[in-house]
Amino acid sequence: MPTTIKRNSAGAESNDLGAGAVYRNEPEFAAAVAGFNTAASMQPDVVVPVWSTGDIRRVVEYAAGIGAPVTVQATGHGYTYPVSSGILIDTSGMRGVDIDVQAGTATVQAGARWSDVHAAAGRHGLAGLVGSSSDIGVVGFCLGGGFPILGRTYGFASDRILAAELVTGDGVLHHVDSREPELLWALQGGKANVGIVASLTIELVHLHRVFGGGIFFPGESAAAVVHEFARWAPTLPVEAGTSIALLRLPADPSIPEPLRGQFVVHLRFAFTGPAEDGDELVAPMRAVSPAIFDQVGDMPYADIDAVHSDPRDAMPYTEGGVLLGAFPEEAATALIEAAGPDSDATLPLVEVRLMGGAYGVGTGAVNGRGSEFFASVVALIGGTQLPEARDEIDRIIGALRPWATGSAVNLNGPAATRSESAALWSPDTVRRLSELRRVHDPAGIIRAGHTV
Ligand SMILES: Cc1cc2nc3c(=O)[nH]c(=O)nc-3n(C[C@H](O)[C@H](O)[C@H](O)COP(=O)(O)OP(=O)(O)OC[C@H]3O[C@@H](n4cnc5c(N)ncnc54)[C@H](O)[C@@H]3O)c2cc1C
């Protein structure tokens, strides 16, 4: 039985967790565990806010001493499985970003979000490889591979990890860089398997603008738009990234009238080249159907969240994802049948992203190098609807199964068991990650997400 950690009569300080630690059943506990996914079942014994590398090391050392499981949360965008014991390290207060303009790098603290990187790097004409939302934590995103909007141009975000301060499960602080190649490899897509990252140094790219945005098409054009996407997307140059999303939007007053409560198709597009070339590239999609809104144009890189327009308020959801070797017209038909406007589907988002290009190049632990597309599915859930939501996700992913090549740890959703987690990487990657865990975390205390 794992030890249950409680506040003792001498006060929290005496167990090394610090005065800020919040224990289960204390009034502040619900706020202390809250993250972006309000359906997450987060019931650690104690939440420990950390402010420095030293804090993280002290907490992991303490946990290793008593054999308590350790998990970590920065924003809660990546909740993967219920937490029912042990210590939750809360890094949300560690949002420092240090830019080295000469080197073109950012060193971010464990809780920094992509918005923090935009703010610090943008003024130097530098950019980080953000995904669909800059509210996401840089560390969690990058350790999971990180599908950036411009991944075809620049590769997985994990390929840009240069160095890290890493506390392994034995409580040792490692300064990881190319001189510790195996740990560096593991951080480049192996998620939290090798420990808790206190800071990460990533390479930035020189970029201050993109041509991009979203086009909302009416539901009745869904089949035509998705079929054209299947023909058009593979013809794009690597300087362009795109995805197509089937959206069931809520009847929420904050959503503009023509979209509110509607089924719509959302084309997402971003291109690093000149606006005239971008206009030419998007023309075949614009020709398919009149749009409800066409918001594609030149924009500062700092506004790149407008490409996806992801929700920003916390919500209850679960998700699933699948890597695809191709998305031919047969797959478009299968997707429309499973999730289109005339299907029984109820979930708010099904997205198919184009991969290829620079995604295929690199050496880290990330899965999905050879894949050409990634499909992700999000279902909203109330307290008792989880099984139904998972069934619906499985049904839609099942429709794309003929083209499946595996899965990816980011955007994959929960993995209930270690073997489900292990299926997110190749057998050889699992072997290498397991060996690193055996050496650096012999008691197996780090259980922060998908653990092999
Ligand atoms: C709205 C939305 C949009 C998204 N869009 C994209 C996208 O475009 N591309 C993409 O690749 N992913 C995307 N994701 C998935 C997201 O990148 C992952 O879920 C990521 O893990 C979130 O990291 P976080 O720190 O924000 O979340 P958290 O829930 O705080 O952390 C999630 C996990 O990250 C790991 N982690 C976080 N901090 C540390 C640390 N200091 N040390 C070790 N491990 C750590 C742990 O495994 C932890 O369980 C999206 C998710 C959401 C909800």
Side-chain angles (χ1 to χ4, degrees):
M1 277 290 284
T3 315
T4 301
I5 308 162
K6 294 186 176 142
R7 189 184 288 284
N8 61 33
S9 55
E13 293 85 344
S14 66
N15 65 14
D16 283 350
L17 293 179
V22 180
Y23 292 77
R24 209 188 301 174
N25 301 327
E26 292 186 343
E28 304 84 4
F29 185 80
V33 294
F36 181 77
N37 189 346
T38 56
S41 170
M42 276 285 183
Q43 292 293 317
D45 295 327
V46 57
V47 185
V48 185
V50 289
W51 308 98
S52 68
T53 301
D55 285 355
I56 293 177
R57 186 178 182 182
R58 263 188 303 282
V59 175
V60 177
E61 262 178 350
Y62 172 77
I66 60 167
V70 175
T71 189
V72 60
Q73 178 165 282
T75 73
H77 278 75
Y79 161 74
T80 52
Y81 62 100
V83 173
S84 56
S85 64
I87 300 175
L88 171 65
I89 295 180
D90 168 9
T91 62
S92 61
M94 291 178 66
R95 291 181 64 171
V97 175
D98 196 15
I99 304 294
D100 182 333
V101 179
Q102 288 294 317
T105 61
T107 297
V108 304
Q109 284 191 306
R113 297 177 181 227
W114 282 110
S115 53
D116 301 322
V117 176
H118 289 332
R123 68 179 79 111
H124 305 292
L126 293 166
L129 295 181
V130 65
S132 61
S133 164
S134 49
D135 289 341
I136 293 171
V138 178
V139 171
F141 181 88
C142 290
L143 296 192
F147 294 82
I149 292 181
L150 293 170
R152 285 166 49 75
T153 320
Y154 299 110
F156 281 105
S158 57
D159 294 334
R160 303 268 162 175
I161 297 177
L162 300 175
E165 287 184 311
L166 171 73
V167 181
T168 45
D170 50 8
V172 174
L173 171 64
H174 300 258
H175 297 276
V176 179
D177 59 17
S178 55
R179 288 164 296 185
E180 288 231 42
E182 195 64 4
L183 283 175
L184 184 62
W185 166 86
L187 293 174
Q188 291 171 334
K191 208 67 184 188
N193 269 295
V194 289
I196 306 298
V197 168
S199 75
L200 202 62
T201 300
I202 53 172
E203 193 182 355
L204 303 171
V205 299
H206 288 272
L207 196 64
H208 62 275
R209 57 151 288 279
V210 289
F211 175 85
I215 303 179
F216 289 93
F217 294 101
E220 60 266 24
S221 305
V225 172
V226 175
H227 275 267
E228 180 58 23
F229 177 84
R231 288 188 290 268
W232 165 81
T235 69
L236 291 173
V238 297
E239 292 79 12
T242 189
S243 66
I244 196 86
L246 306 179
L247 300 178
R248 285 181 173 76
L249 295 170
D252 184 320
S254 69
I255 295 176
E257 177 72 69
L259 302 177
R260 194 179 306 156
Q262 298 298 312
F263 177 99
V264 295
V265 185
H266 191 208
L267 177 75
R268 289 103 184 250
F269 182 77
F271 174 58
T272 57
E276 313 80 76
D277 295 0
D279 261 327
E280 232 171 83
L281 287 173
V282 179
M285 291 304 297
R286 283 182 165 143
V288 179
S289 157
I292 304 172
F293 286 125
D294 183 337
Q295 299 160 326
V296 174
D298 225 50
M299 63 165 76
Y301 186 79
D303 293 345
I304 198 165
D305 280 5
V307 171
H308 283 249
S309 302
D310 273 355
R312 306 202 59 192
D313 293 337
M315 56 185 202
Y317 67 94
T318 184
E319 63 185 357
V322 63
L323 292 158
L324 304 173
F327 184 69
E329 290 208 56
E330 294 85 341
T333 303
L335 184 69
I336 289 293
E337 277 172 10
D342 301 325
S343 70
D344 297 336
T346 60
L347 34 69
L349 168 77
V350 182
E351 186 192 40
V352 178
R353 289 192 197 193
L354 179 65
M355 294 178 64
Y359 275 117
V361 186
T363 54
V366 66
N367 201 25
R369 288 252 180 248
S371 298
E372 294 298 325
F373 289 87
F374 183 76
S376 60
V377 184
V378 172
L380 290 176
I381 43 174
T384 56
Q385 299 149 359
L386 184 59
E388 290 87 340
R390 298 272 4 135
D391 282 353
E392 194 167 348
I393 288 174
D394 289 348
R395 189 172 57 72
I396 289 167
I397 288 181
L400 297 173
R401 201 56 77 196
W403 301 276
T405 53
S407 200
V409 63
N410 275 6
L411 295 165
N412 177 76
T417 62
R418 283 200 170 177
S419 59
E420 277 181 32
S421 286
L424 299 171
W425 290 278
S426 72
D428 188 52
T429 299
V430 170
R431 185 191 55 72
R432 283 172 74 177
L433 291 175
S434 304
E435 177 59 14
L436 285 166
R437 281 182 71 82
R438 195 185 62 72
V439 171
H440 296 290
D441 184 8
I445 63 160
I446 305 291
R447 316 252 181 90
H450 300 98
T451 307
V452 297

PDB file of all heavy atoms in Angstrom, residues 394-419:
ATOM      1  N   ASP A 394     -13.971   6.188 -29.747  1.00  0.00           N
ATOM      2  CA  ASP A 394     -13.450   4.937 -30.336  1.00  0.00           C
ATOM      3  C   ASP A 394     -14.113   4.655 -31.678  1.00  0.00           C
ATOM      4  O   ASP A 394     -13.480   4.169 -32.615  1.00  0.00           O
ATOM      5  CB  ASP A 394     -13.691   3.753 -29.389  1.00  0.00           C
ATOM      6  CG  ASP A 394     -12.789   3.832 -28.162  1.00  0.00           C
ATOM      7  OD1 ASP A 394     -11.849   4.649 -28.171  1.00  0.00           O
ATOM      8  OD2 ASP A 394     -13.047   3.092 -27.187  1.00  0.00           O
ATOM      9  N   ARG A 395     -15.404   4.963 -31.782  1.00  0.00           N
ATOM     10  CA  ARG A 395     -16.131   4.687 -33.028  1.00  0.00           C
ATOM     11  C   ARG A 395     -15.572   5.555 -34.162  1.00  0.00           C
ATOM     12  O   ARG A 395     -15.339   5.077 -35.280  1.00  0.00           O
ATOM     13  CB  ARG A 395     -17.626   4.979 -32.809  1.00  0.00           C
ATOM     14  CG  ARG A 395     -18.525   4.534 -33.948  1.00  0.00           C
ATOM     15  CD  ARG A 395     -19.995   4.680 -33.589  1.00  0.00           C
ATOM     16  NE  ARG A 395     -20.386   6.030 -33.211  1.00  0.00           N
ATOM     17  CZ  ARG A 395     -20.489   7.052 -34.050  1.00  0.00           C
ATOM     18  NH1 ARG A 395     -20.223   6.887 -35.329  1.00  0.00           N
ATOM     19  NH2 ARG A 395     -20.850   8.257 -33.622  1.00  0.00           N
ATOM     20  N   ILE A 396     -15.303   6.826 -33.861  1.00  0.00           N
ATOM     21  CA  ILE A 396     -14.813   7.719 -34.921  1.00  0.00           C
ATOM     22  C   ILE A 396     -13.371   7.374 -35.297  1.00  0.00           C
ATOM     23  O   ILE A 396     -13.018   7.303 -36.477  1.00  0.00           O
ATOM     24  CB  ILE A 396     -14.992   9.182 -34.489  1.00  0.00           C
ATOM     25  CG1 ILE A 396     -16.495   9.481 -34.513  1.00  0.00           C
ATOM     26  CG2 ILE A 396     -14.230  10.141 -35.410  1.00  0.00           C
ATOM     27  CD1 ILE A 396     -16.903  10.740 -33.851  1.00  0.00           C
ATOM     28  N   ILE A 397     -12.560   7.093 -34.286  1.00  0.00           N
ATOM     29  CA  ILE A 397     -11.182   6.674 -34.598  1.00  0.00           C
ATOM     30  C   ILE A 397     -11.215   5.341 -35.346  1.00  0.00           C
ATOM     31  O   ILE A 397     -10.443   5.118 -36.287  1.00  0.00           O
ATOM     32  CB  ILE A 397     -10.340   6.604 -33.306  1.00  0.00           C
ATOM     33  CG1 ILE A 397     -10.073   8.039 -32.840  1.00  0.00           C
ATOM     34  CG2 ILE A 397      -9.036   5.841 -33.524  1.00  0.00           C
ATOM     35  CD1 ILE A 397      -9.247   8.172 -31.603  1.00  0.00           C
ATOM     36  N   GLY A 398     -12.164   4.474 -34.975  1.00  0.00           N
ATOM     37  CA  GLY A 398     -12.305   3.181 -35.656  1.00  0.00           C
ATOM     38  C   GLY A 398     -12.581   3.350 -37.145  1.00  0.00           C
ATOM     39  O   GLY A 398     -12.106   2.572 -37.974  1.00  0.00           O
ATOM     40  N   ALA A 399     -13.344   4.394 -37.494  1.00  0.00           N
ATOM     41  CA  ALA A 399     -13.664   4.623 -38.911  1.00  0.00           C
ATOM     42  C   ALA A 399     -12.405   4.947 -39.710  1.00  0.00           C
ATOM     43  O   ALA A 399     -12.347   4.729 -40.921  1.00  0.00           O
ATOM     44  CB  ALA A 399     -14.682   5.762 -39.027  1.00  0.00           C
ATOM     45  N   LEU A 400     -11.382   5.485 -39.021  1.00  0.00           N
ATOM     46  CA  LEU A 400     -10.128   5.848 -39.711  1.00  0.00           C
ATOM     47  C   LEU A 400      -9.062   4.761 -39.564  1.00  0.00           C
ATOM     48  O   LEU A 400      -7.935   4.920 -40.034  1.00  0.00           O
ATOM     49  CB  LEU A 400      -9.604   7.184 -39.153  1.00  0.00           C
ATOM     50  CG  LEU A 400     -10.527   8.384 -39.390  1.00  0.00           C
ATOM     51  CD1 LEU A 400     -10.010   9.614 -38.650  1.00  0.00           C
ATOM     52  CD2 LEU A 400     -10.661   8.683 -40.887  1.00  0.00           C
ATOM     53  N   ARG A 401      -9.431   3.671 -38.888  1.00  0.00           N
ATOM     54  CA  ARG A 401      -8.466   2.601 -38.577  1.00  0.00           C
ATOM     55  C   ARG A 401      -7.719   2.075 -39.810  1.00  0.00           C
ATOM     56  O   ARG A 401      -6.519   1.782 -39.726  1.00  0.00           O
ATOM     57  CB  ARG A 401      -9.227   1.475 -37.859  1.00  0.00           C
ATOM     58  CG  ARG A 401      -8.410   0.522 -37.028  1.00  0.00           C
ATOM     59  CD  ARG A 401      -7.541   1.119 -35.952  1.00  0.00           C
ATOM     60  NE  ARG A 401      -8.214   1.536 -34.740  1.00  0.00           N
ATOM     61  CZ  ARG A 401      -7.668   2.341 -33.822  1.00  0.00           C
ATOM     62  NH1 ARG A 401      -6.449   2.825 -33.987  1.00  0.00           N
ATOM     63  NH2 ARG A 401      -8.330   2.683 -32.749  1.00  0.00           N
ATOM     64  N   PRO A 402      -8.377   1.939 -40.992  1.00  0.00           N
ATOM     65  CA  PRO A 402      -7.633   1.392 -42.144  1.00  0.00           C
ATOM     66  C   PRO A 402      -6.385   2.200 -42.494  1.00  0.00           C
ATOM     67  O   PRO A 402      -5.479   1.678 -43.140  1.00  0.00           O
ATOM     68  CB  PRO A 402      -8.654   1.459 -43.290  1.00  0.00           C
ATOM     69  CG  PRO A 402      -9.986   1.450 -42.625  1.00  0.00           C
ATOM     70  CD  PRO A 402      -9.802   2.138 -41.307  1.00  0.00           C
ATOM     71  N   TRP A 403      -6.329   3.463 -42.078  1.00  0.00           N
ATOM     72  CA  TRP A 403      -5.180   4.308 -42.432  1.00  0.00           C
ATOM     73  C   TRP A 403      -4.279   4.571 -41.216  1.00  0.00           C
ATOM     74  O   TRP A 403      -3.333   5.342 -41.299  1.00  0.00           O
ATOM     75  CB  TRP A 403      -5.678   5.638 -43.028  1.00  0.00           C
ATOM     76  CG  TRP A 403      -6.507   5.379 -44.248  1.00  0.00           C
ATOM     77  CD1 TRP A 403      -6.047   5.178 -45.514  1.00  0.00           C
ATOM     78  CD2 TRP A 403      -7.935   5.234 -44.306  1.00  0.00           C
ATOM     79  NE1 TRP A 403      -7.097   4.915 -46.361  1.00  0.00           N
ATOM     80  CE2 TRP A 403      -8.266   4.944 -45.651  1.00  0.00           C
ATOM     81  CE3 TRP A 403      -8.966   5.303 -43.363  1.00  0.00           C
ATOM     82  CZ2 TRP A 403      -9.588   4.738 -46.069  1.00  0.00           C
ATOM     83  CZ3 TRP A 403     -10.280   5.095 -43.780  1.00  0.00           C
ATOM     84  CH2 TRP A 403     -10.578   4.820 -45.115  1.00  0.00           C
ATOM     85  N   ALA A 404      -4.591   3.930 -40.075  1.00  0.00           N
ATOM     86  CA  ALA A 404      -3.876   4.228 -38.820  1.00  0.00           C
ATOM     87  C   ALA A 404      -2.448   3.695 -38.850  1.00  0.00           C
ATOM     88  O   ALA A 404      -2.190   2.600 -39.356  1.00  0.00           O
ATOM     89  CB  ALA A 404      -4.627   3.612 -37.645  1.00  0.00           C
ATOM     90  N   THR A 405      -1.532   4.490 -38.303  1.00  0.00           N
ATOM     91  CA  THR A 405      -0.141   4.034 -38.192  1.00  0.00           C
ATOM     92  C   THR A 405       0.330   4.055 -36.740  1.00  0.00           C
ATOM     93  O   THR A 405       1.503   3.820 -36.474  1.00  0.00           O
ATOM     94  CB  THR A 405       0.797   4.939 -39.022  1.00  0.00           C
ATOM     95  OG1 THR A 405       0.568   6.298 -38.642  1.00  0.00           O
ATOM     96  CG2 THR A 405       0.573   4.783 -40.507  1.00  0.00           C
ATOM     97  N   GLY A 406      -0.543   4.382 -35.800  1.00  0.00           N
ATOM     98  CA  GLY A 406      -0.128   4.421 -34.394  1.00  0.00           C
ATOM     99  C   GLY A 406      -0.783   5.588 -33.704  1.00  0.00           C
ATOM    100  O   GLY A 406      -1.772   6.139 -34.194  1.00  0.00           O
ATOM    101  N   SER A 407      -0.221   5.977 -32.573  1.00  0.00           N
ATOM    102  CA  SER A 407      -0.774   7.132 -31.890  1.00  0.00           C
ATOM    103  C   SER A 407       0.353   8.004 -31.363  1.00  0.00           C
ATOM    104  O   SER A 407       1.521   7.671 -31.512  1.00  0.00           O
ATOM    105  CB  SER A 407      -1.722   6.711 -30.776  1.00  0.00           C
ATOM    106  OG  SER A 407      -2.558   7.806 -30.477  1.00  0.00           O
ATOM    107  N   ALA A 408      -0.018   9.109 -30.779  1.00  0.00           N
ATOM    108  CA  ALA A 408       0.976  10.067 -30.302  1.00  0.00           C
ATOM    109  C   ALA A 408       0.584  10.456 -28.893  1.00  0.00           C
ATOM    110  O   ALA A 408      -0.597  10.521 -28.569  1.00  0.00           O
ATOM    111  CB  ALA A 408       0.983  11.291 -31.202  1.00  0.00           C
ATOM    112  N   VAL A 409       1.570  10.729 -28.060  1.00  0.00           N
ATOM    113  CA  VAL A 409       1.271  10.903 -26.642  1.00  0.00           C
ATOM    114  C   VAL A 409       0.515  12.208 -26.377  1.00  0.00           C
ATOM    115  O   VAL A 409      -0.402  12.238 -25.562  1.00  0.00           O
ATOM    116  CB  VAL A 409       2.555  10.728 -25.802  1.00  0.00           C
ATOM    117  CG1 VAL A 409       3.594  11.767 -26.116  1.00  0.00           C
ATOM    118  CG2 VAL A 409       2.248  10.714 -24.335  1.00  0.00           C
ATOM    119  N   ASN A 410       0.855  13.288 -27.083  1.00  0.00           N
ATOM    120  CA  ASN A 410       0.042  14.510 -26.960  1.00  0.00           C
ATOM    121  C   ASN A 410      -1.261  14.280 -27.719  1.00  0.00           C
ATOM    122  O   ASN A 410      -1.255  13.680 -28.784  1.00  0.00           O
ATOM    123  CB  ASN A 410       0.749  15.707 -27.603  1.00  0.00           C
ATOM    124  CG  ASN A 410       1.731  16.369 -26.661  1.00  0.00           C
ATOM    125  OD1 ASN A 410       1.972  15.879 -25.566  1.00  0.00           O
ATOM    126  ND2 ASN A 410       2.309  17.473 -27.088  1.00  0.00           N
ATOM    127  N   LEU A 411      -2.349  14.783 -27.213  1.00  0.00           N
ATOM    128  CA  LEU A 411      -3.647  14.692 -27.882  1.00  0.00           C
ATOM    129  C   LEU A 411      -4.171  13.269 -27.948  1.00  0.00           C
ATOM    130  O   LEU A 411      -5.088  12.979 -28.701  1.00  0.00           O
ATOM    131  CB  LEU A 411      -3.573  15.265 -29.315  1.00  0.00           C
ATOM    132  CG  LEU A 411      -3.285  16.756 -29.419  1.00  0.00           C
ATOM    133  CD1 LEU A 411      -2.870  17.134 -30.829  1.00  0.00           C
ATOM    134  CD2 LEU A 411      -4.507  17.563 -29.014  1.00  0.00           C
ATOM    135  N   ASN A 412      -3.581  12.355 -27.177  1.00  0.00           N
ATOM    136  CA  ASN A 412      -4.039  10.974 -27.220  1.00  0.00           C
ATOM    137  C   ASN A 412      -5.152  10.701 -26.225  1.00  0.00           C
ATOM    138  O   ASN A 412      -5.917   9.765 -26.390  1.00  0.00           O
ATOM    139  CB  ASN A 412      -2.876  10.036 -26.922  1.00  0.00           C
ATOM    140  CG  ASN A 412      -3.329   8.597 -26.889  1.00  0.00           C
ATOM    141  OD1 ASN A 412      -3.562   8.018 -27.930  1.00  0.00           O
ATOM    142  ND2 ASN A 412      -3.509   8.046 -25.702  1.00  0.00           N
ATOM    143  N   GLY A 413      -5.229  11.514 -25.166  1.00  0.00           N
ATOM    144  CA  GLY A 413      -6.207  11.241 -24.131  1.00  0.00           C
ATOM    145  C   GLY A 413      -5.683  10.236 -23.134  1.00  0.00           C
ATOM    146  O   GLY A 413      -4.489   9.944 -23.093  1.00  0.00           O
ATOM    147  N   PRO A 414      -6.592   9.678 -22.320  1.00  0.00           N
ATOM    148  CA  PRO A 414      -6.146   8.839 -21.219  1.00  0.00           C
ATOM    149  C   PRO A 414      -5.629   7.485 -21.676  1.00  0.00           C
ATOM    150  O   PRO A 414      -6.041   6.970 -22.705  1.00  0.00           O
ATOM    151  CB  PRO A 414      -7.416   8.665 -20.380  1.00  0.00           C
ATOM    152  CG  PRO A 414      -8.534   8.909 -21.316  1.00  0.00           C
ATOM    153  CD  PRO A 414      -8.041   9.833 -22.374  1.00  0.00           C
ATOM    154  N   ALA A 415      -4.717   6.942 -20.904  1.00  0.00           N
ATOM    155  CA  ALA A 415      -4.288   5.562 -21.083  1.00  0.00           C
ATOM    156  C   ALA A 415      -4.434   4.928 -19.713  1.00  0.00           C
ATOM    157  O   ALA A 415      -3.780   5.335 -18.761  1.00  0.00           O
ATOM    158  CB  ALA A 415      -2.840   5.518 -21.555  1.00  0.00           C
ATOM    159  N   ALA A 416      -5.341   3.962 -19.609  1.00  0.00           N
ATOM    160  CA  ALA A 416      -5.685   3.434 -18.287  1.00  0.00           C
ATOM    161  C   ALA A 416      -4.579   2.547 -17.728  1.00  0.00           C
ATOM    162  O   ALA A 416      -4.426   2.425 -16.519  1.00  0.00           O
ATOM    163  CB  ALA A 416      -6.988   2.657 -18.380  1.00  0.00           C
ATOM    164  N   THR A 417      -3.809   1.919 -18.598  1.00  0.00           N
ATOM    165  CA  THR A 417      -2.812   0.968 -18.117  1.00  0.00           C
ATOM    166  C   THR A 417      -1.455   1.296 -18.721  1.00  0.00           C
ATOM    167  O   THR A 417      -1.353   2.034 -19.694  1.00  0.00           O
ATOM    168  CB  THR A 417      -3.175  -0.458 -18.569  1.00  0.00           C
ATOM    169  OG1 THR A 417      -3.158  -0.471 -20.003  1.00  0.00           O
ATOM    170  CG2 THR A 417      -4.538  -0.876 -18.065  1.00  0.00           C
ATOM    171  N   ARG A 418      -0.416   0.683 -18.145  1.00  0.00           N
ATOM    172  CA  ARG A 418       0.924   0.896 -18.695  1.00  0.00           C
ATOM    173  C   ARG A 418       1.026   0.349 -20.110  1.00  0.00           C
ATOM    174  O   ARG A 418       1.721   0.904 -20.948  1.00  0.00           O
ATOM    175  CB  ARG A 418       1.961   0.225 -17.809  1.00  0.00           C
ATOM    176  CG  ARG A 418       2.200   1.039 -16.571  1.00  0.00           C
ATOM    177  CD  ARG A 418       3.506   0.678 -15.941  1.00  0.00           C
ATOM    178  NE  ARG A 418       3.770   1.656 -14.900  1.00  0.00           N
ATOM    179  CZ  ARG A 418       4.799   1.613 -14.095  1.00  0.00           C
ATOM    180  NH1 ARG A 418       5.680   0.662 -14.204  1.00  0.00           N
ATOM    181  NH2 ARG A 418       4.970   2.531 -13.186  1.00  0.00           N
ATOM    182  N   SER A 419       0.341  -0.771 -20.399  1.00  0.00           N
ATOM    183  CA  SER A 419       0.477  -1.305 -21.759  1.00  0.00           C
ATOM    184  C   SER A 419      -0.212  -0.379 -22.757  1.00  0.00           C
ATOM    185  O   SER A 419       0.256  -0.206 -23.882  1.00  0.00           O
ATOM    186  CB  SER A 419      -0.030  -2.740 -21.860  1.00  0.00           C
ATOM    187  OG  SER A 419      -1.364  -2.786 -21.478  1.00  0.00           O
TER     188      SER A 419
END
